[in-house]
Amino acid sequence: MNAATAQTSAPQLTPGEVDNLYEVVNGEVVELEPMGAFDTALASELAFFLRLFAREHAMGLVVTETLFVLDAALNLRRRPDAAYVSYGRWPEQSVPRAAAWNVVPDLAVEVVSPTNIVDKVDEKIVEYFAAGVQLVWAIYPETERIYVYASANDVKILERSETLNGGEVLPAFELSIDTLFSGLSKPE
């Protein structure tokens, strides 16, 4: 698929033209509901642990709130709350200075906040796998559970007492879910 086969093109927006975060779905700009402080901190905390691991093992880059071109022909651009891009998928020498990164991440993370609609989260998960994402983590802060998707219909639900691992995408990465959530409270 190339840009010439796209049915519609996304508007060329500069950062100053859009105050809120957005995605592009079927060529339409869709503003995202803002995440709450806890949800944002949770995504940042997870990205911190992922970034340390990926950097220590020279595997790739971890980003937050980055817009990715998932399918140029369908004009689909999604913004996971956190994502990991392996060096093997990274076509450029450095991250481009563009509104969207034209690469499909290996791992996409969605923090499901109260403003998210479950059907829309499910739609994103299906789109991620259709685009070539290998692993999706959907974090539910209210229940402190993480849904680990190996495909759009292969999911394992982890409780706070369990350990999240990177599977084949981030081999040897492990993080206690309790450690992830505990990092959002002041130590006693």
Side-chain angles (χ1 to χ4, degrees), residues 25-98:
V25 182
N26 296 322
E28 298 293 323
V29 174
V30 178
E31 280 193 42
L32 299 175
E33 292 291 327
M35 289 175 40
F38 184 87
D39 303 327
T40 302
L42 183 60
S44 296
E45 186 78 356
L46 178 59
F48 168 78
F49 286 110
L50 287 168
R51 188 173 293 119
L52 284 177
F53 181 85
R55 180 174 284 184
E56 179 182 330
H57 295 87
M59 298 175 74
L61 184 67
V62 176
V63 295
T64 57
E65 297 292 351
T66 299
L67 188 64
F68 290 95
V69 178
L70 296 182
D71 189 322
L74 294 176
N75 207 354
L76 177 63
R77 300 169 190 215
R78 290 290 192 182
R79 188 184 304 271
D81 297 318
Y84 161 71
V85 178
S86 66
Y87 289 136
R89 288 192 176 203
W90 189 348
E92 300 92 7
Q93 183 62 30
S94 60
V95 177
R97 296 183 182 269

Coordinates of all heavy atoms in Angstrom, one line a residue, residues 25-98:
V25 N -9.0 8.6 11.6 CA -9.7 7.4 11.4 C -10.5 7.6 10.1 O -11.3 8.4 10.0 CB -10.6 7.0 12.5 CG1 -11.3 5.6 12.3 CG2 -9.8 6.9 13.8
N26 N -10.2 6.7 9.1 CA -10.9 6.8 7.8 C -10.8 8.3 7.2 O -11.7 8.8 6.7 CB -12.3 6.4 7.9 CG -12.5 5.0 8.3 OD1 -11.7 4.1 7.8 ND2 -13.4 4.7 9.1
G27 N -9.6 8.9 7.4 CA -9.4 10.2 6.9 C -10.0 11.4 7.7 O -9.8 12.5 7.3
E28 N -10.7 11.0 8.8 CA -11.3 12.1 9.6 C -10.5 12.3 10.9 O -10.1 11.3 11.5 CB -12.7 11.7 10.0 CG -13.7 11.5 8.8 CD -14.0 12.8 8.1 OE1 -14.1 13.8 8.8 OE2 -14.1 12.8 6.8
V29 N -10.2 13.5 11.2 CA -9.5 13.9 12.4 C -10.5 13.7 13.6 O -11.6 14.2 13.6 CB -9.0 15.3 12.4 CG1 -8.4 15.7 13.8 CG2 -8.0 15.5 11.3
V30 N -10.1 12.9 14.6 CA -10.9 12.6 15.7 C -10.2 13.0 17.0 O -9.1 12.5 17.2 CB -11.2 11.0 15.8 CG1 -12.0 10.7 17.1 CG2 -11.9 10.5 14.6
E31 N -10.7 14.0 17.7 CA -10.1 14.5 18.9 C -10.2 13.5 20.0 O -11.3 12.8 20.1 CB -10.7 15.8 19.4 CG -10.2 17.0 18.6 CD -10.6 18.3 19.2 OE1 -10.5 18.4 20.5 OE2 -11.0 19.2 18.5
L32 N -9.2 13.3 20.8 CA -9.2 12.4 21.9 C -9.6 13.1 23.1 O -9.2 14.2 23.4 CB -7.8 11.7 22.0 CG -7.2 11.0 20.9 CD1 -5.8 10.5 21.2 CD2 -8.1 9.8 20.6
E33 N -10.4 12.3 23.9 CA -10.7 12.9 25.3 C -9.5 12.9 26.1 O -8.7 12.0 26.0 CB -11.8 12.0 25.9 CG -13.1 12.0 25.3 CD -13.9 13.3 25.4 OE1 -13.7 14.0 26.5 OE2 -14.6 13.7 24.5
P34 N -9.3 13.9 26.9 CA -8.1 14.0 27.7 C -8.1 12.9 28.8 O -9.1 12.6 29.3 CB -8.1 15.4 28.3 CG -9.6 15.8 28.3 CD -10.2 15.1 27.1
M35 N -6.9 12.4 29.0 CA -6.7 11.4 30.1 C -6.6 12.2 31.4 O -6.1 13.3 31.5 CB -5.5 10.6 29.9 CG -5.6 9.6 28.7 SD -4.1 8.7 28.3 CE -3.3 8.2 29.9
G36 N -7.0 11.5 32.5 CA -6.9 12.1 33.8 C -5.4 12.0 34.3 O -4.6 11.3 33.7
A37 N -5.2 12.7 35.4 CA -3.8 12.7 35.9 C -3.3 11.3 36.3 O -2.2 11.0 36.0 CB -3.8 13.6 37.2
F38 N -4.1 10.5 36.9 CA -3.7 9.2 37.3 C -3.4 8.3 36.1 O -2.4 7.6 36.0 CB -4.8 8.5 38.2 CG -4.4 7.1 38.7 CD1 -3.7 7.0 39.9 CD2 -4.6 6.0 37.9 CE1 -3.3 5.8 40.3 CE2 -4.2 4.7 38.4 CZ -3.6 4.6 39.6
D39 N -4.3 8.4 35.1 CA -4.1 7.6 33.9 C -2.8 8.0 33.1 O -2.1 7.2 32.6 CB -5.3 7.7 33.0 CG -6.6 7.2 33.7 OD1 -6.5 6.3 34.5 OD2 -7.6 7.8 33.4
T40 N -2.6 9.3 33.0 CA -1.4 9.8 32.4 C -0.1 9.4 33.1 O 0.9 8.9 32.5 CB -1.4 11.3 32.3 OG1 -2.6 11.7 31.6 CG2 -0.2 11.9 31.6
A41 N -0.2 9.5 34.5 CA 1.0 9.1 35.3 C 1.2 7.6 35.1 O 2.4 7.1 35.1 CB 0.7 9.4 36.8
L42 N 0.2 6.8 35.0 CA 0.3 5.3 34.9 C 1.0 5.0 33.5 O 1.9 4.2 33.5 CB -1.1 4.6 34.9 CG -1.1 3.1 34.9 CD1 -0.3 2.5 36.0 CD2 -2.5 2.7 34.9
A43 N 0.6 5.6 32.5 CA 1.2 5.4 31.2 C 2.7 5.9 31.2 O 3.6 5.2 30.7 CB 0.5 6.2 30.1
S44 N 3.0 7.0 31.9 CA 4.3 7.5 32.0 C 5.2 6.5 32.8 O 6.4 6.3 32.5 CB 4.4 8.8 32.6 OG 3.7 9.8 31.8
E45 N 4.6 6.0 33.9 CA 5.3 5.0 34.8 C 5.7 3.8 34.0 O 6.9 3.3 34.0 CB 4.5 4.7 36.0 CG 5.2 3.8 37.0 CD 6.1 4.6 37.9 OE1 6.4 5.8 37.7 OE2 6.7 4.0 38.8
L46 N 4.8 3.2 33.3 CA 5.0 2.0 32.5 C 6.1 2.3 31.4 O 7.0 1.6 31.2 CB 3.8 1.5 31.8 CG 4.0 0.3 30.9 CD1 4.6 -0.9 31.7 CD2 2.7 -0.1 30.3
A47 N 6.0 3.5 30.7 CA 6.9 3.9 29.7 C 8.3 4.0 30.3 O 9.3 3.6 29.7 CB 6.5 5.2 29.0
F48 N 8.4 4.5 31.5 CA 9.7 4.6 32.2 C 10.4 3.2 32.3 O 11.6 3.1 31.9 CB 9.5 5.2 33.6 CG 10.7 5.1 34.5 CD1 11.8 6.0 34.3 CD2 10.8 4.2 35.5 CE1 12.9 5.9 35.1 CE2 11.9 4.1 36.3 CZ 13.0 5.0 36.1
F49 N 9.7 2.2 32.8 CA 10.2 0.9 33.0 C 10.6 0.3 31.6 O 11.6 -0.3 31.4 CB 9.3 0.0 33.7 CG 9.2 0.3 35.2 CD1 8.1 0.8 35.8 CD2 10.3 0.0 36.0 CE1 8.0 1.1 37.1 CE2 10.2 0.3 37.4 CZ 9.1 0.8 37.9
L50 N 9.7 0.5 30.6 CA 10.0 -0.1 29.3 C 11.2 0.6 28.7 O 12.0 0.0 28.0 CB 8.7 0.1 28.4 CG 7.5 -0.8 28.7 CD1 6.3 -0.3 27.9 CD2 7.9 -2.2 28.3
R51 N 11.3 1.9 28.8 CA 12.4 2.7 28.2 C 13.7 2.3 28.8 O 14.7 2.1 28.1 CB 12.1 4.2 28.5 CG 13.1 5.1 27.7 CD 12.8 6.6 27.8 NE 11.5 6.8 27.1 CZ 10.4 7.3 27.7 NH1 10.4 7.6 29.0 NH2 9.3 7.6 27.0
L52 N 13.8 2.1 30.2 CA 15.0 1.6 30.8 C 15.4 0.3 30.2 O 16.6 0.1 29.9 CB 14.8 1.5 32.3 CG 14.8 2.8 33.1 CD1 14.6 2.5 34.6 CD2 16.1 3.5 33.0
F53 N 14.5 -0.7 30.1 CA 14.8 -2.0 29.6 C 15.3 -1.9 28.2 O 16.3 -2.5 27.8 CB 13.6 -2.9 29.7 CG 13.8 -4.3 29.3 CD1 14.4 -5.2 30.1 CD2 13.5 -4.7 28.0 CE1 14.6 -6.5 29.7 CE2 13.7 -5.9 27.5 CZ 14.3 -6.9 28.4
A54 N 14.5 -1.2 27.3 CA 14.8 -1.2 25.9 C 16.2 -0.5 25.7 O 17.0 -0.9 24.8 CB 13.7 -0.5 25.1
R55 N 16.5 0.5 26.4 CA 17.8 1.2 26.3 C 18.9 0.3 26.8 O 19.9 0.2 26.1 CB 17.7 2.5 27.0 CG 19.1 3.3 26.9 CD 19.0 4.6 27.5 NE 18.3 5.5 26.5 CZ 18.1 6.8 26.7 NH1 18.6 7.3 27.8 NH2 17.5 7.5 25.9
E56 N 18.7 -0.3 27.9 CA 19.8 -1.2 28.5 C 20.1 -2.3 27.6 O 21.3 -2.7 27.5 CB 19.3 -1.7 29.8 CG 20.3 -2.6 30.5 CD 19.8 -3.2 31.8 OE1 19.0 -2.5 32.5 OE2 20.2 -4.3 32.2
H57 N 19.1 -2.8 26.8 CA 19.4 -4.0 25.9 C 19.5 -3.5 24.5 O 19.5 -4.4 23.6 CB 18.2 -5.0 26.1 CG 18.2 -5.6 27.5 ND1 17.6 -5.1 28.5 CD2 18.8 -6.7 27.9 CE1 17.7 -5.8 29.6 NE2 18.5 -6.8 29.2
A58 N 19.6 -2.2 24.2 CA 19.7 -1.7 22.9 C 18.7 -2.3 21.9 O 19.1 -2.8 20.8 CB 21.2 -1.9 22.4
M59 N 17.4 -2.3 22.3 CA 16.4 -2.9 21.5 C 15.6 -2.0 20.6 O 15.0 -2.4 19.6 CB 15.5 -3.7 22.4 CG 16.2 -4.8 23.2 SD 15.2 -5.7 24.3 CE 14.2 -6.6 23.2
G60 N 15.4 -0.8 21.1 CA 14.5 0.1 20.4 C 14.1 1.3 21.3 O 14.8 1.6 22.3
L61 N 13.0 2.0 20.9 CA 12.6 3.2 21.6 C 11.2 3.1 22.1 O 10.3 2.5 21.5 CB 12.6 4.4 20.6 CG 12.3 5.8 21.1 CD1 13.4 6.2 22.1 CD2 12.2 6.7 19.9
V62 N 11.0 3.6 23.3 CA 9.6 3.7 23.9 C 9.2 5.1 23.9 O 9.9 6.0 24.3 CB 9.7 3.1 25.3 CG1 8.3 3.3 26.0 CG2 10.1 1.7 25.3
V63 N 8.0 5.4 23.4 CA 7.4 6.7 23.4 C 6.0 6.8 24.0 O 5.4 5.7 24.2 CB 7.3 7.2 21.9 CG1 8.7 7.3 21.3 CG2 6.5 6.3 21.1
T64 N 5.6 7.9 24.3 CA 4.2 8.1 24.8 C 3.5 9.1 23.9 O 4.1 10.0 23.4 CB 4.2 8.7 26.3 OG1 5.0 9.9 26.3 CG2 4.8 7.7 27.2
E65 N 2.2 8.9 23.8 CA 1.3 9.8 23.0 C 1.8 10.2 21.7 O 1.6 11.3 21.2 CB 1.0 11.0 23.9 CG 0.3 10.8 25.2 CD -1.2 10.3 25.0 OE1 -1.7 10.4 23.9 OE2 -1.8 9.9 26.0
T66 N 2.5 9.2 21.0 CA 3.0 9.5 19.6 C 2.0 9.0 18.6 O 1.4 7.9 18.7 CB 4.3 8.8 19.5 OG1 5.3 9.3 20.4 CG2 4.9 9.0 18.1
L67 N 1.8 9.8 17.6 CA 0.8 9.5 16.5 C 1.6 8.6 15.5 O 2.7 9.0 15.0 CB 0.3 10.7 15.8 CG -0.8 10.6 14.8 CD1 -2.1 10.0 15.4 CD2 -1.1 11.9 14.1
F68 N 1.0 7.4 15.2 CA 1.7 6.5 14.2 C 0.8 6.3 13.0 O -0.5 6.2 13.1 CB 1.8 5.1 14.9 CG 2.9 5.0 15.9 CD1 2.5 5.2 17.3 CD2 4.2 4.8 15.6 CE1 3.5 5.1 18.3 CE2 5.2 4.8 16.6 CZ 4.8 4.9 17.9
V69 N 1.4 6.3 11.8 CA 0.6 5.9 10.6 C 0.5 4.4 10.6 O 1.5 3.7 10.3 CB 1.4 6.4 9.4 CG1 0.6 6.0 8.1 CG2 1.6 7.9 9.4
L70 N -0.6 3.9 10.9 CA -0.8 2.4 10.9 C -1.2 1.9 9.5 O -0.8 0.8 9.2 CB -1.9 2.0 11.9 CG -1.7 2.3 13.3 CD1 -2.8 1.8 14.2 CD2 -0.4 1.7 13.8
D71 N -1.9 2.7 8.7 CA -2.3 2.3 7.4 C -2.5 3.5 6.5 O -3.5 4.2 6.6 CB -3.5 1.4 7.4 CG -3.8 0.8 6.1 OD1 -3.6 1.4 5.0 OD2 -4.3 -0.4 6.1
A72 N -1.5 3.8 5.7 CA -1.6 5.0 4.8 C -2.7 4.9 3.8 O -3.4 5.9 3.6 CB -0.2 5.2 4.1
A73 N -3.0 3.8 3.3 CA -4.0 3.6 2.3 C -5.4 3.9 2.9 O -6.3 4.4 2.3 CB -4.0 2.2 1.7
L74 N -5.6 3.4 4.1 CA -6.9 3.7 4.8 C -6.9 5.0 5.6 O -7.9 5.3 6.2 CB -7.2 2.5 5.8 CG -7.4 1.2 5.2 CD1 -7.6 0.1 6.3 CD2 -8.6 1.2 4.3
N75 N -5.8 5.7 5.5 CA -5.6 6.9 6.3 C -5.9 6.8 7.7 O -6.7 7.5 8.3 CB -6.5 8.0 5.6 CG -5.9 9.4 5.9 OD1 -4.9 9.5 6.6 ND2 -6.5 10.4 5.3
L76 N -5.2 5.8 8.3 CA -5.4 5.4 9.7 C -4.2 5.8 10.5 O -3.1 5.3 10.3 CB -5.7 3.9 9.9 CG -5.9 3.4 11.3 CD1 -7.1 4.0 12.0 CD2 -6.0 1.9 11.3
R77 N -4.4 6.7 11.5 CA -3.3 7.1 12.4 C -3.8 7.0 13.8 O -4.8 7.6 14.1 CB -2.9 8.5 12.1 CG -2.4 8.7 10.6 CD -2.3 10.2 10.3 NE -2.0 10.3 8.8 CZ -1.2 11.2 8.3 NH1 -0.6 12.1 9.1 NH2 -1.1 11.3 7.0
R78 N -3.1 6.2 14.6 CA -3.5 6.1 16.0 C -2.4 6.5 16.9 O -1.2 6.5 16.6 CB -3.8 4.6 16.3 CG -5.1 4.1 15.6 CD -6.3 4.7 16.2 NE -7.6 4.1 15.8 CZ -8.8 4.4 16.2 NH1 -8.9 5.5 17.0 NH2 -9.8 3.8 15.7
R79 N -2.8 6.9 18.1 CA -1.9 7.4 19.2 C -2.1 6.6 20.4 O -2.8 6.9 21.3 CB -2.3 8.9 19.4 CG -1.4 9.6 20.3 CD -1.9 11.0 20.6 NE -2.2 11.8 19.4 CZ -1.3 12.6 18.8 NH1 0.0 12.7 19.3 NH2 -1.6 13.3 17.8
P80 N -1.3 5.5 20.5 CA -1.4 4.7 21.8 C -0.8 5.5 22.9 O 0.0 6.5 22.7 CB -0.5 3.5 21.5 CG 0.3 3.8 20.3 CD -0.4 4.9 19.6
D81 N -1.2 5.2 24.1 CA -0.7 5.9 25.3 C 0.7 5.7 25.5 O 1.4 6.6 26.0 CB -1.5 5.5 26.5 CG -3.0 5.9 26.4 OD1 -3.3 7.0 25.9 OD2 -3.9 5.1 26.7
A82 N 1.2 4.5 25.2 CA 2.7 4.2 25.1 C 2.9 3.2 24.0 O 2.0 2.5 23.7 CB 3.1 3.7 26.5
A83 N 4.1 3.2 23.5 CA 4.4 2.3 22.4 C 5.9 2.0 22.4 O 6.7 2.8 22.8 CB 4.0 2.8 21.1
Y84 N 6.2 0.8 21.9 CA 7.6 0.4 21.8 C 7.8 0.1 20.3 O 7.1 -0.6 19.7 CB 7.9 -0.9 22.6 CG 9.1 -1.6 22.2 CD1 10.4 -1.1 22.4 CD2 9.0 -2.8 21.5 CE1 11.6 -1.8 22.0 CE2 10.2 -3.6 21.1 CZ 11.4 -3.0 21.4 OH 12.5 -3.7 20.9
V85 N 8.9 0.7 19.7 CA 9.3 0.5 18.4 C 10.7 -0.1 18.4 O 11.7 0.5 18.9 CB 9.3 1.8 17.5 CG1 9.8 1.5 16.1 CG2 7.9 2.4 17.5
S86 N 10.8 -1.4 17.9 CA 12.2 -2.0 17.9 C 13.0 -1.4 16.8 O 12.5 -0.8 15.8 CB 12.0 -3.5 17.6 OG 11.5 -3.7 16.3
Y87 N 14.3 -1.5 16.9 CA 15.2 -0.9 15.9 C 15.0 -1.6 14.6 O 15.2 -1.0 13.5 CB 16.7 -1.0 16.3 CG 17.0 -0.1 17.5 CD1 17.8 -0.5 18.5 CD2 16.6 1.3 17.5 CE1 18.1 0.4 19.6 CE2 16.9 2.1 18.5 CZ 17.7 1.7 19.5 OH 18.0 2.5 20.6
G88 N 14.5 -2.8 14.6 CA 14.3 -3.6 13.3 C 13.1 -3.0 12.5 O 13.1 -3.1 11.3
R89 N 12.2 -2.3 13.2 CA 11.1 -1.7 12.5 C 11.3 -0.2 12.2 O 10.5 0.4 11.5 CB 9.8 -1.8 13.3 CG 9.3 -3.2 13.4 CD 7.9 -3.2 14.0 NE 7.4 -4.5 13.9 CZ 6.1 -4.8 14.0 NH1 5.2 -3.8 14.0 NH2 5.7 -6.1 13.9
W90 N 12.3 0.3 12.7 CA 12.6 1.8 12.7 C 13.4 2.1 11.4 O 14.6 1.9 11.3 CB 13.4 2.1 13.9 CG 13.6 3.5 14.2 CD1 13.4 4.6 13.4 CD2 14.2 4.1 15.4 NE1 13.7 5.8 14.0 CE2 14.2 5.5 15.2 CE3 14.6 3.5 16.6 CZ2 14.7 6.3 16.2 CZ3 15.1 4.3 17.5 CH2 15.1 5.7 17.4
P91 N 12.7 2.6 10.4 CA 13.3 2.8 9.0 C 14.3 4.0 9.0 O 15.2 4.0 8.2 CB 12.1 3.0 8.1 CG 11.0 3.6 9.0 CD 11.3 3.0 10.3
E92 N 14.1 5.0 9.8 CA 14.9 6.2 9.7 C 16.0 6.1 10.7 O 16.1 5.3 11.6 CB 14.1 7.5 10.1 CG 12.9 7.7 9.2 CD 11.6 7.1 9.7 OE1 11.6 6.6 10.9 OE2 10.6 7.1 9.0
Q93 N 17.0 7.0 10.5 CA 18.1 7.1 11.4 C 17.7 7.7 12.8 O 18.2 7.3 13.8 CB 19.3 7.9 10.8 CG 20.5 8.0 11.6 CD 21.2 6.7 11.8 OE1 21.1 5.8 11.0 NE2 21.8 6.5 12.9
S94 N 16.8 8.6 12.7 CA 16.3 9.2 14.0 C 14.7 9.4 13.8 O 14.2 9.2 12.8 CB 16.9 10.6 14.2 OG 16.6 11.5 13.1
V95 N 14.1 9.7 14.9 CA 12.7 9.9 14.9 C 12.4 11.1 14.1 O 13.0 12.2 14.2 CB 12.1 10.1 16.4 CG1 10.6 10.4 16.4 CG2 12.5 8.9 17.3
P96 N 11.4 11.0 13.1 CA 11.1 12.1 12.2 C 10.5 13.3 12.9 O 9.8 13.1 13.9 CB 10.2 11.5 11.2 CG 9.5 10.4 11.9 CD 10.5 9.8 12.9
R97 N 10.8 14.5 12.4 CA 10.1 15.7 13.0 C 8.9 15.9 12.2 O 8.7 16.9 11.5 CB 11.1 16.8 12.8 CG 12.3 16.7 13.7 CD 13.2 17.9 13.6 NE 14.4 17.7 14.4 CZ 14.5 18.1 15.7 NH1 13.5 18.6 16.3 NH2 15.7 17.8 16.3
A98 N 7.9 15.0 12.3 CA 6.6 15.1 11.6 C 5.5 14.9 12.6 O 5.7 14.5 13.7 CB 6.6 14.0 10.5

